[in-house]
Amino acid sequence: VTGASFVVFNGALKTSSGFLAKSSIVEDGLMVQITRETMEKLRQALRDKKDFKITCGKMDAGNVKEYVDICWVENEEKTNKG
């Protein structure tokens, strides 16, 4: 679990790169590089206020994967206040 001050979603990752998606720490935030298709799905999920999971890592990495989960919460009191 990584806490971040901001998140950047970059929809310019090429499918030919061999990655499903890439995540990296940038200053005190998180940058997630995703394909155009994943960006379209993410945008729709945000419009619909639906949870969304992005699987990061190489396509051929087997079971070693990282995930970026976007979750909508009912009670904001349980979230980080900073």
Side-chain angles (χ1 to χ4, degrees), residues 5-21:
S5 296
F6 64 91
V7 178
V8 175
F9 295 101
N10 178 340
L13 185 68
K14 304 287 185 207
T15 53
S16 61
S17 70
F19 284 90
L20 298 165

Side-chain angles (χ1 to χ4, degrees), residues 15-52:
T15 53
S16 61
S17 70
F19 284 90
L20 298 165
K22 292 165 119 180
S23 64
S24 55
I25 304 293
V26 179
E27 295 180 14
D28 60 342
L30 178 69
M31 180 171 68
V32 184
Q33 298 176 40
I34 56 179
T35 62
R36 182 183 314 155
E37 295 80 17
T38 303
M39 179 66 88
E40 290 171 9
K41 292 176 186 175
L42 171 60
R43 291 178 68 195
Q44 188 60 51
L46 292 173
R47 279 189 217 104
D48 297 340
K49 295 185 178 180
K50 303 279 184 182
D51 293 351
F52 193 79

Side-chain angles (χ1 to χ4, degrees), residues 1 10 12 15 24 27 33 38 44 47-48 55 60 65 67 69-71 77 79 82:
V1 175
N10 178 340
T15 53
S24 55
E27 295 180 14
Q33 298 176 40
T38 303
Q44 188 60 51
R47 279 189 217 104
D48 297 340
T55 304
D60 58 359
K65 300 274 191 277
Y67 300 96
D69 289 317
I70 296 103
C71 303
E77 293 175 9
T79 60

